Amino acid sequence: MIKDKPVAVAFPEGARLIREAVDRPDYQDAYAMRLHPGMPRDPAAWTGILRDAFPIAQQQDGEALMNVSTAGLDAWASIVIDEKHVTLCSSVKTNALRSRLYWGAVKKVHPFMARAMMVRTHRKLALAAQHGS
């Protein structure tokens, strides 16, 4: 894994909530980054990855699940924390023509945006950990 850069990975073992959230998803991805000493191990502390725009729907065993549905998409994101990594998982199901058209455009930029949001939040929390905040 590259230091301080998100890497595409499979859903980690701890991504139980998101696996159950969407039946037969049309799209799934996950990106992981290494945790630095002192960084939060509570997934709720990482919701800033999504700009805190989506409340946590469920949380258990190191995973926070957020409903990020929009434009007719059944979409979920989860943040999974293990001993060494933070992983952002996404799962999407399109339910109608409108959602398929919307997702057709959004999925082209989704990987770039997911990684950029992870880097921003990782950097912010790493700085806070260094300064003891």
Side-chain angles (χ1 to χ4, degrees):
M1 190 157 299
I2 302 167
K3 183 178 177 170
D4 296 342
K5 292 205 178 202
V7 175
V9 296
F11 277 15
E13 184 177 321
R16 291 178 188 90
L17 295 174
I18 196 166
R19 281 191 182 95
E20 296 171 2
V22 180
D23 184 36
R24 293 177 291 163
D26 297 314
Y27 178 90
Q28 287 186 315
D29 67 8
Y31 300 97
M33 292 181 76
R34 286 191 185 172
L35 292 168
H36 294 252
M39 292 180 89
R41 288 345 195 227
D42 178 1
W46 289 83
T47 58
I49 289 173
L50 301 175
R51 297 195 185 264
D52 294 319
F54 303 98
I56 294 173
Q58 285 183 275
Q59 184 172 347
Q60 73 179 36
D61 302 327
E63 180 181 17
L65 179 69
M66 294 161 285
N67 183 335
V68 296
S69 297
T70 186
L73 293 176
D74 185 10
W76 295 83
S78 80
I79 298 166
V80 180
I81 305 284
D82 63 25
E83 305 83 40
K84 296 181 181 179
H85 303 98
V86 56
T87 305
L88 173 63
C89 305
S90 303
S91 189
V92 176
K93 175 90 173 157
T94 57
N95 298 313
L97 177 60
R98 178 178 178 228
S99 63
R100 283 189 289 279
L101 292 171
Y102 176 79
W103 183 244
V106 171
K107 77 178 176 184
K108 291 175 171 71
V109 297
H110 170 79
F112 170 77
M113 294 303 297
R115 290 189 307 262
M117 292 184 300
M118 278 192 83
V119 167
R120 183 194 72 241
T121 303
H122 189 276
R123 186 175 299 133
K124 175 183 159 191
L125 293 173
L127 286 171
Q130 283 177 346
H131 296 1
S133 302

